[in-house]
């Protein structure tokens, strides 16, 4: 096989899509489920797994920055009784699989009620860092302190664990919601002075996060890969034809694209 070929299985944790299959499982049951995913990856001749370890501004490792993920125990901040990230990295490497850690940078919650976040959550301690939009809570990418915080949270995992890669999903601003404007006009007024319009400023905020994180990852560990999950768009709705182009494929649950996990 080509040495640089990447054949990866994506494993989603948000909303218990893939793993854990549900909250409240015992440690042994959680671990057995994850081993089964790895065994499937080996059987399908994969050479890497991309595992969602920060799905909603929470962590699948004992992070000093963010609470334990609710998708482990059912309660945000609930200690699962072991270090899932250390376990996952060790089990993947034992099977000669690369372990790529998958982070969602801006999404705080799949609801818009900050009181439902654990009291120690940074998004509750810094209400000015967040906004609600489309029924969800997000960190505001236009605030420099927010970008620094997101990078710090990710770099904690990179520096402490033997991950082989870092992947971002939903690295962009939220999908547009009809009739709603993203509530960042005050942030734009404060930080967007050199930009003629809010769209260019927002794009640059995303560029900054990607650029800075890339630099920090490779300064700390030059061998760690860094990438972004692109959209799996196979045909533009505005240019539909009777017969779609050949070679297109549908994504499956275990191979999510940006926005699906």
């Amino acid at each position: 096989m080509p040495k640089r070929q990447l054949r990866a299985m994506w494993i989603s944790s948000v909303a218990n899509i893939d793993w854990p299959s549900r909250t409240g499982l015992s440690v042994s049951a959680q671990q057995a489920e994850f081993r089964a995913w790895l065994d499937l990856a080996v059987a399908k001749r994969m050479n890497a797994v991309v595992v969602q370890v920060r799905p909603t501004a929470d962590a699948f490792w004992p992070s000093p920055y963010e609470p334990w993920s609710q998708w482990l125990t059912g309660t945000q901040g609930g200690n699962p009784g072991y270090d899932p990230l250390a376990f996952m990295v060790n089990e993947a490497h034992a099977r000669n699989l690369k372990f790529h850690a998958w982070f969602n940078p801006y999404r705080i919650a799949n609801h818009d009620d900050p009181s439902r976040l654990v009291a120690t959550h940074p998004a509750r301690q810094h209400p000015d860092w967040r906004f609600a939009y489309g029924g969800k809570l997000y960190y505001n990418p236009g605030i420099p302190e927010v970008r620094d915080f997101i990078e710090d949270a990710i770099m904690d995992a990179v520096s402490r664990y033997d991950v082989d890669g870092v992947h971002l999903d939903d690295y962009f601003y939220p999908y547009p919601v009809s009739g709603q404007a993203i509530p960042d006009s005050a942030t734009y007024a404060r930080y967007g002075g050199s930009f003629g319009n809010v769209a260019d400023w927002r794009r640059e905020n995303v560029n900054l996060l990607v650029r800075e994180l890339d630099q920090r990852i490779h300064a700390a560990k030059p061998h760690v890969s860094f990438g972004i999950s692109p959209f799996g768009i196979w045909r533009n709705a505005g240019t539909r034809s009777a017969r779609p182009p050949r070679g297109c494929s549908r994504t499956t649950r275990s191979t999510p694209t940006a926005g699906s996990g």
Side-chain angles (χ1 to χ4, degrees):
M1 293 293 180
K3 290 183 178 180
R4 296 186 181 274
Q5 190 177 68
L6 177 66
R7 305 183 305 281
M9 172 186 287
W10 290 67
I11 302 175
S12 303
S13 61
V14 67
N16 301 115
I17 292 175
D18 292 321
W19 181 82
S21 63
R22 59 184 176 85
T23 58
L25 293 175
S26 66
V27 171
S28 60
Q30 281 190 4
Q31 294 181 344
E33 282 193 352
F34 191 76
R35 290 188 181 104
W37 279 108
L38 297 184
D39 291 342
L40 177 62
V42 171
K44 298 297 183 180
R45 302 182 68 198
M46 301 290 112
N47 60 16
V49 288
V50 184
V51 184
Q52 194 172 28
V53 300
R54 184 184 183 265
T56 48
D58 49 17
F60 271 60
W61 73 97
S63 169
Y65 296 94
E66 295 178 307
W68 283 107
S69 177
Q70 71 182 88
W71 311 115
L72 288 165
T73 64
T75 302
Q76 189 171 70
N79 191 325
Y82 73 113
D83 185 337
L85 184 51
F87 164 77
M88 292 187 290
V89 171
N90 290 337
E91 290 290 324
H93 288 169
R95 291 164 176 78
N96 202 29
L97 292 167
K98 298 289 187 181
F99 186 92
H100 290 212
W102 165 17
F103 303 84
N104 186 293
Y106 306 124
R107 182 173 59 200
I108 297 172
N110 287 330
H111 58 76
D112 60 4
D113 182 1
S115 69
R116 291 172 57 184
L117 303 174
V118 67
T120 57
H121 199 296
R124 287 191 67 175
Q125 296 178 334
H126 301 275
D128 55 312
W129 283 8
R130 67 175 193 252
F131 59 70
Y133 182 73
K136 298 182 180 182
L137 291 174
Y138 296 93
Y139 279 124
N140 189 336
I143 301 175
E145 291 83 4
V146 167
R147 293 196 301 271
D148 289 343
F149 171 79
I150 292 169
E151 294 168 20
D152 288 345
I154 294 173
M155 287 304 301
D156 181 63
V158 173
S159 63
R160 293 169 55 196
Y161 298 88
D162 188 21
V163 300
D164 302 291
V166 169
H167 288 269
L168 298 186
D169 190 27
D170 287 354
Y171 64 97
F172 39 78
Y173 274 70
Y175 298 115
V177 176
S178 178
Q180 296 186 32
I182 295 176
D184 63 349
S185 58
T187 312
Y188 175 55
R190 181 175 181 181
Y191 296 107
S194 62
F195 292 87
N197 61 76
V198 69
D200 287 343
W201 171 72
R202 288 173 180 161
R203 279 187 284 270
E204 181 59 15
N205 294 331
V206 173
N207 290 341
L208 285 169
L209 179 79
V210 173
R211 183 183 307 122
E212 292 165 3
L213 185 57
D214 175 81
Q215 292 170 348
R216 291 183 65 175
I217 290 169
H218 291 123
K221 293 185 175 180
H223 65 280
V224 171
S225 301
F226 176 51
I228 292 175
S229 167
F231 277 103
I233 296 175
W234 63 277
R235 182 173 61 178
N236 192 309
T239 57
R240 289 178 176 174
S241 59
R243 297 183 64 182
R246 294 177 62 85
C248 299
S249 63
R250 296 179 63 186
T251 57
T252 64
R253 189 184 72 164
S254 59
T255 56
T257 57
S260 61

